Amino acid sequence: TMTSRKTVMRLLALAPAPLLESALQKDLPAVRARGCKLIRKPETGLIMARGRISGTGSPFNVGEVLVTRCAVSLTGGQTGYAWILGADSDHARDAALLDALWQDPECGPFLERELLPAMQKAVEEKRAARVKRAAGTRVNFFTMVRGED
């Protein structure tokens, strides 16, 4: 069973760029035979990030976030899109291309089998490292009770 496109696009955006680049260097089935056209070349800009207190409160503007987006199409008709945090145009292009290839009947199962586990592992390792870094700055507050005898 194929992973949902939403999950794949999320992993493509969060996975390290070199992992995507190395996946495209491999001899993917039918990649050489298919042409790729940029619909929207990688472009970087700002978007407004919105948040909610406790996830349920009224929305408010947190601030602007730098993102890079890209869209590609394959000659087979598949269209790939990517939005990446930051200004990495190569990452955005590779993610959009892999999104399109994931939809291809020949390439999709190969990517599902070969790239998906590596992306899941890399994203989880990145998350775990972030949690560990944050734990190092943790402050434990405690209250001392003074006897009033």
Side-chain angles (χ1 to χ4, degrees):
T1 175
M2 292 287 283
T3 306
S4 76
R5 185 165 179 214
K6 178 180 174 182
T7 300
V8 167
M9 291 177 79
R10 178 183 165 278
L11 288 170
L12 287 168
L14 294 175
L19 180 63
L20 305 187
E21 189 179 330
S22 69
L24 287 169
Q25 300 301 321
K26 290 181 182 168
D27 193 20
L28 290 174
V31 170
R32 305 238 189 299
R34 300 218 181 344
C36 173
K37 184 176 80 171
L38 283 173
I39 297 173
R40 180 184 305 263
K41 66 179 176 48
E43 50 190 13
T44 301
L46 295 171
I47 61 170
M48 182 58 68
R50 300 194 33 99
R52 292 177 188 267
I53 299 294
S54 299
T56 57
S58 298
F60 63 94
N61 292 341
V62 175
E64 292 177 328
V65 179
L66 190 67
V67 296
T68 304
R69 67 180 179 177
C70 184
V72 301
S73 69
L74 301 179
T75 52
Q78 299 84 358
T79 305
Y81 299 93
W83 287 72
I84 306 296
L85 276 177
D88 190 343
S89 57
D90 290 341
H91 186 177
R93 187 197 59 242
D94 291 349
L97 179 54
L98 284 163
D99 175 44
L101 290 169
W102 218 287
Q103 299 167 61
D104 181 86
E106 288 181 65
C107 292
F110 176 81
L111 290 169
E112 185 85 16
R113 192 176 57 251
E114 300 294 323
L115 182 57
L116 185 71
M119 286 196 311
Q120 288 170 327
K121 182 174 184 258
V123 168
E124 180 53 37
E125 284 173 355
K126 201 156 75 168
R127 190 196 68 75
R130 201 169 48 244
V131 167
K132 188 176 180 184
R133 261 196 327 274
T137 64
R138 173 183 230 132
V139 177
N140 291 319
F141 293 95
F142 59 92
T143 305
M144 291 182 61
V145 178
R146 198 174 70 188
E148 295 291 324
D149 304 342

